[in-house]
Amino acid sequence: MDIRETIRGLQPLYGKVTPLRTVQETRPPEDFADAYVTEVNVKTASKVIKALDSAFPKDPSLPLSHLRRFAKREILPPPLRAAIEEQSPPLAAPVQTIFVLISPPLPDLDKLQALLAPFAPNAAPATPGQTPEDASQPDSPSPKIYLHPTKIPLYPPFNSKQADAWTKTLWPVVFNPAAPRSTVAPPPQILNRAQESIEPRAGYYLSLARKVAEEAEQSGLGRGVGAVIVDPAIEEELSAASWESGAGETASWDEAVLAVAGDARYCRPEAGAPSQAQLHPGVAPNPASTTYIAEFEGGPELHALMRAAGFIARWRRENDSRGDATATADASNPEHLQDTEELSSLESYFLYRHRPGASDTTIGELLFSPSSPKKRKHEEPNPESGSTIDPSNPEQSQLQTPPLPAPPPSTTAVSGPPIPITAPATSRIRTRSQGGYLCTDLDVYVSHEPCLCCSMGMLLSRFRAVIFPRRGRLESGGLASEPVVAPTADEVEPEDDTKGQDERGYYGLHWRKELNWRALGFEYVEEDDEEIKDEPKRPVFHA
């Protein structure tokens, strides 16, 4: 079957995109410090804060805005309230009081008690003009101030459950869900914006990833794992053009695909011995895939995700080596024959296909209205994009700035009639001379949860986001940070929901605060995921 026909015949997955929670959210670290609580007259609360901040400046490196400065007796944690009632004598006269928190760095206790003595519940009112420092002098009568030790969390809570637990056991805590730290979880506005852009076409890309996985498995070269790399910038152009033309958001969804790759772990000979693909020619799936033997699995560079990232790097190396940023790799060119022989039909098609050119009388008229600013943009193309460098011309040969990329890809639906090409074809992948660096700002869709090595490779490649289906989770995966809790019937014990899932590690490598690059992580939950009861058992392997 023709590759284009295969792509047209793909049916998208139906479901929803769900963000992956980070390990900082699912297993938040807890760091505590010593603090003191004391009871003061409620009418002097503002003076207490002013005196404390003036005498004992705060440490700016400790963000303690999540802790309440004051708390009434009735909202104190029960253990702390019981300790206070046991240690403090009853007040001589009824007076409204409130408890103040003295947070670290803790001052000298004698100085602290002397400073707060004028604000004690039984303290005599200060005379006009008398300052707290004057009232704390030795010759001034000072009632005793009682300091009660407690523990406080140094970092804000990551969820309401943690905030409630601290409020009931340590000290009242405020949870602010609108302001999570970027090292803990992706900022909500960035996460929501990415999710909105991924949602419309995610089902198509994951369907393509499964098709690539099927191709890899049927070739006998690897396991059934596939990866698809997508450029979100092209997706935005597709969305804008489809909106102006009235076409659906999923029209020409494959135009944003830069590269696809299937698993190829059985194709490489090791230590002079024939590979598993050579030992079982023409057998699909490869017999080695029915079990897991480390010696047969190859290295992570043969996994689908790393091969896809390698394809992007290969294309950039090939075109940079020619010194022509507009050069287009052609699968039919003998110069690339050695490389394309290693690729499957889908891999070769997406890596070396041409981007359709645009002209004022074809794509412009089909997609944009006369008043469209996009049409005016294409009616006045950049002179750099249409120019070519003539080596015989000394002025052109000394140009330092490479030609700009050609206009965005065609947004005509796949099933529609072909558009005449009047401009030179140009690849979608930007070379390094055009500003392309690794896989920065690209998205990768994989049929299975990547292993630890591939997850780290994904971060080192600078991907923007990684998306995989929930039913593609693996015990050896490196992205999930918590088990899936499925709905259960009344007669089933709740602990059965995660049976066997706690045996795997949950690393959440896509967003770790100790790493210098973080990617957005998403799971695709298909509509019929909850209906799947028993799937055929498969050996644990690294995808």
Side-chain angles (χ1 to χ4, degrees):
M1 180 183 293
D2 180 71
I3 295 297
R4 297 289 296 176
E5 293 294 332
T6 301
I7 296 173
R8 291 191 189 101
L10 287 177
Q11 295 298 317
L13 308 184
Y14 294 99
K16 60 181 180 180
V17 175
T18 303
L20 285 174
R21 295 212 300 166
T22 68
V23 291
Q24 290 83 215
E25 293 176 299
T26 58
R27 298 189 299 276
E30 297 181 348
D31 195 4
F32 304 96
D34 294 324
Y36 289 106
V37 175
T38 189
E39 189 175 17
V40 297
N41 193 318
V42 69
K43 294 182 179 180
T44 62
S46 59
K47 297 179 181 179
V48 169
I49 294 300
K50 186 180 297 184
L52 286 173
D53 292 345
S54 175
F56 311 114
K58 295 181 179 179
D59 184 357
S61 64
L62 293 177
L64 301 178
S65 58
H66 58 286
L67 299 172
R68 294 187 181 275
R69 295 296 298 268
F70 294 99
K72 295 182 179 180
R73 181 182 293 268
E74 55 267 23
I75 67 172
L76 289 176
L80 179 60
R81 185 167 62 243
I84 290 175
E85 293 175 352
E86 180 181 352
Q87 298 174 9
S88 300
L91 298 178
V95 61
Q96 288 186 333
T97 63
I98 198 169
F99 291 87
V100 61
L101 177 70
I102 296 95
S103 57
L106 296 178
D108 180 76
L109 295 186
D110 293 336
K111 293 182 179 179
L112 181 61
Q113 287 180 326
L115 178 69
L116 297 178
F119 310 112
N122 292 332
T127 59
Q130 186 182 29
T131 64
E133 290 77 8
D134 297 334
S136 61
Q137 295 301 319
D139 56 348
S140 302
S142 300
K144 186 175 181 180
I145 196 85
Y146 293 91
L147 299 175
H148 308 281
T150 187
K151 293 281 187 180
I152 59 169
L154 290 179
Y155 300 104
F158 303 121
N159 49 60
S160 57
K161 182 179 179 181
Q162 189 180 50
D164 292 340
W166 288 346
T167 299
K168 294 177 180 178
T169 57
L170 302 176
W171 179 259
V173 174
V174 178
F175 171 58
N176 183 8
R181 292 175 295 157
S182 61
T183 57
V184 171
Q189 63 274 18
I190 295 178
L191 189 66
N192 295 337
R193 192 182 308 122
Q195 184 174 354
E196 290 175 0
S197 68
I198 288 171
E199 190 97 45
R201 303 177 183 87
Y204 284 93
Y205 298 139
L206 289 174
S207 178
L208 176 60
R210 287 183 176 174
K211 185 64 179 178
V212 175
E214 178 186 344
E215 188 180 55
E217 187 175 43
Q218 293 304 315
S219 69
L221 298 178
R223 293 187 180 272
V225 182
V228 175
I229 295 181
V230 174
D231 190 344
I234 298 179
E235 284 192 292
E236 291 183 6
E237 296 170 352
L238 293 176
S239 298
S242 63
W243 181 82
E244 295 193 21
S245 64
E249 275 192 297
T250 57
S252 293
W253 58 269
D254 64 306
E255 293 292 345
V257 177
L258 301 185
V260 304
D263 188 85
R265 67 187 66 199
Y266 300 135
C267 70
R268 177 184 295 174
E270 297 290 346
S275 67
Q276 291 300 306
Q278 293 171 338
L279 290 175
H280 307 282
V283 179
N286 196 295
S289 64
T290 60
T291 183
Y292 180 84
I293 301 177
E295 290 78 6
F296 299 162
E297 294 294 311
E301 70 277 7
L302 298 177
H303 295 183
L305 192 155
M306 296 309 300
R307 291 188 70 232
F311 289 165
I312 302 294
R314 171 194 291 185
W315 197 98
R316 286 174 173 160
R317 286 197 307 269
E318 289 175 351
N319 287 274
D320 279 331
S321 64
R322 294 182 183 83
D324 184 359
T326 60
T328 302
D330 189 348
S332 62
N333 190 333
E335 186 177 352
H336 303 282
L337 188 58
Q338 182 178 358
D339 286 340
T340 54
E341 285 179 344
E342 304 172 3
L343 307 182
S344 69
S345 56
L346 283 172
E347 292 170 350
S348 178
Y349 171 78
F350 280 103
L351 182 61
Y352 291 117
R353 66 175 174 170
H354 294 164
R355 177 167 64 182
S359 69
D360 297 339
T361 59
T362 55
I363 295 179
E365 292 180 355
L366 289 173
L367 294 181
F368 307 114
S369 62
S371 60
S372 168
K374 281 185 171 288
K375 180 178 179 181
R376 292 197 297 270
K377 174 182 176 181
H378 287 282
E379 288 175 345
E380 300 176 2
N382 293 317
E384 295 89 347
S385 62
S387 63
T388 57
I389 298 177
D390 184 4
S392 62
N393 189 334
E395 294 183 359
Q396 288 191 358
S397 62
Q398 295 177 0
L399 289 176
Q400 299 297 324
T401 304
L404 297 178
S410 167
T411 54
T412 304
V414 173
S415 58
I419 296 178
I421 298 177
T422 58
T426 307
S427 174
R428 297 162 174 77
I429 305 174
R430 290 184 300 168
T431 62
R432 288 180 292 182
S433 59
Q434 291 175 320
Y437 175 70
L438 299 178
C439 296
T440 303
D441 295 332
L442 303 181
D443 296 344
V444 59
Y445 295 77
V446 284
S447 61
H448 295 74
E449 181 183 2
C451 65
L452 286 170
C453 289
C454 290
S455 298
M456 281 303 302
M458 179 267 300
L459 293 177
L460 295 174
S461 299
R462 300 297 192 261
F463 279 98
R464 181 192 75 149
V466 56
I467 305 95
F468 65 92
R470 174 167 290 180
R471 66 175 62 180
R473 280 197 179 199
L474 295 175
E475 293 183 22
S476 58
L479 296 181
S481 61
E482 59 184 338
V484 176
V485 179
T488 58
D490 295 338
E491 66 273 14
V492 180
E493 294 295 331
E495 54 266 22
D496 289 343
D497 296 345
T498 58
K499 184 177 181 180
Q501 297 189 60
D502 54 355
E503 298 175 0
R504 63 162 288 182
Y506 293 95
Y507 302 97
L509 283 181
H510 65 288
W511 199 281
R512 298 287 294 244
K513 66 177 183 178
E514 60 267 30
L515 300 178
N516 64 353
W517 185 269
R518 304 176 186 95
L520 303 175
F522 297 93
E523 266 188 325
Y524 194 84
V525 183
E526 298 178 59
E527 292 179 351
D528 56 347
D529 273 357
E530 297 178 359
E531 301 175 2
I532 298 176
K533 301 298 181 182
D534 296 316
E535 290 187 344
K537 291 186 177 181
R538 57 190 176 192
V540 177
F541 66 94
H542 301 272

